[in-house]
Amino acid sequence: MPENENQSRIIITTRDSRVATMVDIDKHSYFLGPLKETESFDLFCKKVFSNRDGRRCPDQLKDLAKGIVAKCDGLP
């Protein structure tokens, strides 16, 4: 975020680059690519199984979890 006298910040997130271009902040835009399959799976397991030791997906749920991650197509 740019440093200035204001204490307020607004963060806009979108999948549609046309929305981002409507806001006059081109020099402060960050375009992120999709996550790799392994990164997506690791993030999913970290969020879903965060109360478990090691944050690992149980073996009996791995196929289901990988199916969910595949539907996201790299989006966090």
Side-chain angles (χ1 to χ4, degrees):
M1 303 300 292
E3 291 296 326
N4 56 28
E5 299 288 322
N6 291 331
Q7 297 298 314
S8 301
R9 302 286 191 259
I10 297 174
I11 298 174
I12 300 171
T13 61
T14 181
R15 295 181 199 169
D16 188 341
S17 62
R18 294 175 295 173
V19 172
T21 59
M22 294 170 73
V23 181
D24 189 24
I25 56 169
D26 288 334
K27 62 183 176 182
H28 299 294
S29 296
Y30 298 96
F31 296 95
L32 303 174
L35 297 174
K36 296 177 185 174
E37 187 176 337
T38 56
E39 294 170 329
S40 294
F41 185 74
D42 289 344
L43 179 61
F44 178 84
C45 291
K46 179 180 177 183
K47 293 296 182 183
V48 173
F49 304 109
S50 63
N51 293 331
R52 296 179 57 89
D53 292 332
R55 298 181 179 146
R56 294 180 184 237
C57 180
D59 289 337
Q60 66 269 25
L61 297 177
K62 280 190 178 178
D63 288 339
L64 180 62
K66 287 182 180 184
I68 293 169
V69 168
K71 287 183 181 184
C72 294
D73 199 27
L75 296 176

